[in-house]
Amino acid sequence: IVAGWSAAQRRGLLRGDSDKPFSLLKPIQLGPVHRGLLKFCLIANFDASLPLAMRQASPLLVGAIATPTAAGLFRIAYELYTPYKDLAALLAESLYPELSRLGSAQNWQVFKSLTLRTQGIGLCVGLGMTAIGITFGQVMLRYAFGPAFVPAYSTYLLLILAGTLTMGSCALEPVLYAAGRPGLSFRVNLVAIFLIYLPCLVLFIDAAGAVGAGIATLCATAFIVVVQSYFAFRQLRKRECACAK
């Protein structure tokens, strides 16, 4: 962290003596061009930490609410669902620098085209992985974990559907970041977790066990995709109209 702020100071992004990195221990004063830099960094860090925290906490929450059997089934299904989230994160991380460059150059047509192509690639990969999961999921559960874990297949199907949505929307968060609106992404994730996922988890898990946890995950993911799509393409339209003027 100190190295990052020191580099920013040396590049003149912060006011003060660029030859004294330890002056960063004093209150940070951002230059007029980069006045929102600190807010951007803080929101981006919280936004990145929130899904990671829920990723670790979800099996624990299911274990606290449901029976140990349901918690075990959900844990297995969740581990098989993790590659979808990892691939979506990898696509998003690789896309963001290019979108930032295009946004700085005000090249919104190419920006939009790249966004749609990346989402198409993510969706195709997700659908392919989902087809494999549907076809071989039960066999994989039986031979990788044992016959006792085959009932996790229903939960696994719900989670990989959520994973396919995540893959197909992998460009939305980088769009909001590149447009300088990370706060929108953070608020959407916050609402999805605390107002959609957790209430649905409590509501459905009593009725359907591990499958209920899969339903909660799918509902929260669908909410994120729909709302982030609205905000991301709204930001794109605003910037295209501004450039046209």
Side-chain angles (χ1 to χ4, degrees):
I1 293 172
V2 172
W5 285 109
S6 297
Q9 191 177 41
R10 286 194 299 272
R11 290 173 179 266
L13 304 182
L14 309 176
R15 291 202 299 270
D17 189 352
S18 61
D19 295 328
K20 296 179 180 179
F22 288 103
S23 66
L24 290 172
L25 297 176
K26 300 176 183 178
I28 295 172
Q29 291 183 316
L30 298 177
V33 178
H34 301 278
R35 199 171 296 279
L37 180 61
L38 181 59
K39 179 181 177 182
F40 183 95
C41 291
L42 291 174
I43 291 175
N45 278 318
F46 280 119
D47 190 35
S49 301
L50 196 59
L52 290 174
M54 290 308 300
R55 176 173 171 175
Q56 300 300 322
S58 289
L60 298 176
L61 289 170
V62 175
I65 299 171
T67 62
T69 300
L73 295 176
F74 179 77
R75 180 72 187 185
I76 293 298
Y78 198 86
E79 288 300 320
L80 295 175
Y81 156 69
T82 298
Y84 288 82
K85 296 178 72 70
D86 291 342
L87 281 172
L90 184 62
L91 283 171
E93 289 168 5
S94 62
L95 179 64
Y96 172 65
E98 186 63 20
L99 290 184
S100 295
R101 184 186 67 80
L102 292 170
S104 299
Q106 302 291 307
N107 195 345
W108 299 110
Q109 289 295 330
V110 178
F111 187 107
K112 184 176 182 179
S113 175
L114 181 60
T115 298
L116 293 174
R117 282 205 310 271
T118 304
Q119 294 210 148
I121 292 170
L123 182 60
C124 288
V125 173
L127 288 173
M129 293 175 63
T130 299
I132 293 172
I134 292 172
T135 305
F136 300 105
Q138 287 183 317
V139 176
M140 181 169 53
L141 287 167
R142 181 181 300 276
Y143 288 102
F145 301 102
F149 290 98
V150 173
Y153 179 69
S154 298
T155 305
Y156 171 63
L157 286 182
L158 290 167
L159 291 178
I160 62 175
L161 287 175
T164 302
L165 290 177
T166 302
M167 292 281 289
S169 62
C170 60
L172 297 177
E173 194 168 280
V175 166
L176 294 174
Y177 273 66
R181 302 301 303 272
L184 288 175
S185 174
F186 177 63
R187 288 194 289 271
V188 170
N189 284 328
L190 206 62
V191 169
I193 289 173
F194 290 104
L195 297 184
I196 305 295
Y197 177 70
L198 293 179
C200 286
L201 189 66
V202 174
L203 180 65
F204 292 124
I205 207 166
D206 283 337
V211 174
I215 294 172
T217 304
L218 183 59
C219 290
T221 303
F223 173 83
I224 290 172
V225 171
V226 170
V227 179
Q228 280 193 349
S229 296
Y230 169 76
F231 283 127
F233 287 100
R234 183 185 178 193
Q235 291 296 318
L236 276 174
R237 282 195 300 272
K238 286 172 63 176
R239 280 155 177 76
E240 286 177 337
C241 291
C243 286
K245 293 178 182 178

